[in-house]
Amino acid sequence: MGEVSTATGVTIHGATGRMGTRLVALAAADRGLDLVAAATHAGDAQVGRDAGEMAAVGPIGVAVTGELTPGGEVVIDFSVAEAAANVAMACAVAGSPVVVGTTGLTAEAHAALKQAAGRVPVLVASNFSLVVNVMHALARRAAAWLGEGYDVELLEAHHRFKRDAPSGTAIALAQTVCEASGRSFDEDVVFARHGDDAPRQPSDLTIQTLRLGDHPGEHTLFFAGPGERLELKHVGTSRDSYAIGALRAAKWLAGKPAGMYDVADALGLGGKA
């Protein structure tokens, strides 16, 4: 008798995108994962091509499909925000756990994912990097310890093709600081500062956005007071750190009961960052 496989079966949706191709490549090389499907949208020129060849790792016997058909134990979605609600519904119907790394999600998408969590385990994160999630924990402590006497500003940079701005990670970091410092995200977070009379208000938390070439991602959180400044900074040098975290989260989510889950738990950080 052959050995029973203990690998987690995974379907990748958005498989031909920048993150999707790295997910395919790394999943194909991971003995703890079994890549059972790679999906994109129907009009994609990569439909029908071997997913491994598409991801530049050689043939793996899995063809890129133009429609998501949830299969295996977990679906990983890194597609577009407009597709998230349909992905959530498809996974709920199929009984497939889903890991969502797509950013810029609408209120409708969040509602659909919350509804899907009544039937399957759902994990949504703006960033699957282990270091970024450690940064959340450090930001929370710094905001609480430094208090009102320190100005807080946030700068983010990504590649020129990124659709949403600011990044989901920047928004999540701002939310973390607001929760820890007593700020209101809706009232105190500023997305632009310009004009002849635009002084900084004491409770402001400004998010500045840069789009630069093929930059995989950078976030710098500043805490500045009289005569000194603290900077918490994450620089992504490759999308692999995000892909590795998402694949790790997929393994962790497989077999969990229905509900919404936190990326900090999946990455072994012991609770919400």
Side-chain angles (χ1 to χ4, degrees):
M1 295 180 62
E3 294 184 3
V4 177
S5 174
T6 58
T8 300
V10 63
T11 291
I12 296 173
H13 183 240
T16 64
R18 292 174 182 81
M19 275 296 300
T21 54
R22 293 310 300 156
L23 285 165
V24 168
L26 293 170
D30 191 329
R31 294 185 178 182
L33 292 168
D34 178 18
L35 181 63
V36 299
T40 183
H41 59 89
D44 196 317
Q46 301 286 357
V47 171
R49 190 178 179 193
D50 185 283
E53 291 184 336
M54 179 272 303
V57 295
I60 59 175
V62 176
V64 176
T65 64
E67 182 180 3
L68 173 64
T69 303
E73 296 174 71
V74 185
V75 171
I76 301 177
D77 176 51
F78 271 84
S79 56
V80 294
E82 295 84 355
N86 288 336
V87 170
M89 290 186 286
C91 289
V93 170
S96 296
V98 59
V99 171
V100 178
T102 303
T103 57
L105 298 180
T106 63
E108 177 190 6
H110 281 293
L113 288 162
K114 185 175 181 180
Q115 184 177 1
R119 301 180 63 175
V120 297
V122 175
L123 194 157
V124 183
S126 60
N127 197 306
F128 286 91
S129 159
L130 181 62
V131 173
V132 165
N133 282 278
V134 170
M135 185 176 177
H136 274 275
L138 297 175
R140 186 178 298 277
R141 291 196 175 194
W145 286 341
L146 294 175
E148 296 180 356
Y150 284 76
D151 301 328
V152 187
E153 303 279 23
L154 178 58
L155 176 67
E156 67 99 340
H158 283 85
H159 57 86
R160 65 177 65 166
F161 301 107
K162 185 169 177 60
R163 296 177 65 182
D164 56 314
S167 69
T169 299
I171 290 173
L173 282 167
Q175 290 170 334
T176 292
V177 170
C178 286
E179 291 169 3
S181 62
R183 288 176 169 83
S184 164
F185 183 90
D186 292 333
E187 296 178 6
D188 296 323
V189 174
V190 178
F191 297 100
R193 183 180 291 118
H194 58 84
D196 296 330
D197 186 18
R200 188 185 193 284
Q201 301 303 313
S203 61
D204 280 358
L205 194 170
T206 306
I207 305 177
Q208 302 285 1
T209 296
L210 302 178
R211 293 292 174 259
L212 304 167
D214 62 352
H215 199 320
E218 178 176 330
H219 295 85
T220 307
L221 186 60
F222 301 87
F223 294 88
E228 60 182 355
R229 180 175 73 248
L230 170 67
E231 296 182 15
L232 299 178
K233 184 171 187 174
H234 172 265
V235 179
T237 57
S238 164
R239 293 182 179 84
D240 285 9
S241 62
Y242 314 128
I244 289 168
L247 294 172
R248 181 173 169 181
K251 293 178 188 178
W252 181 87
L253 194 64
K256 294 290 189 295
M260 293 293 295
Y261 290 89
D262 192 276
V263 66
D265 292 321
L267 298 181
L269 297 178
K272 186 176 182 180

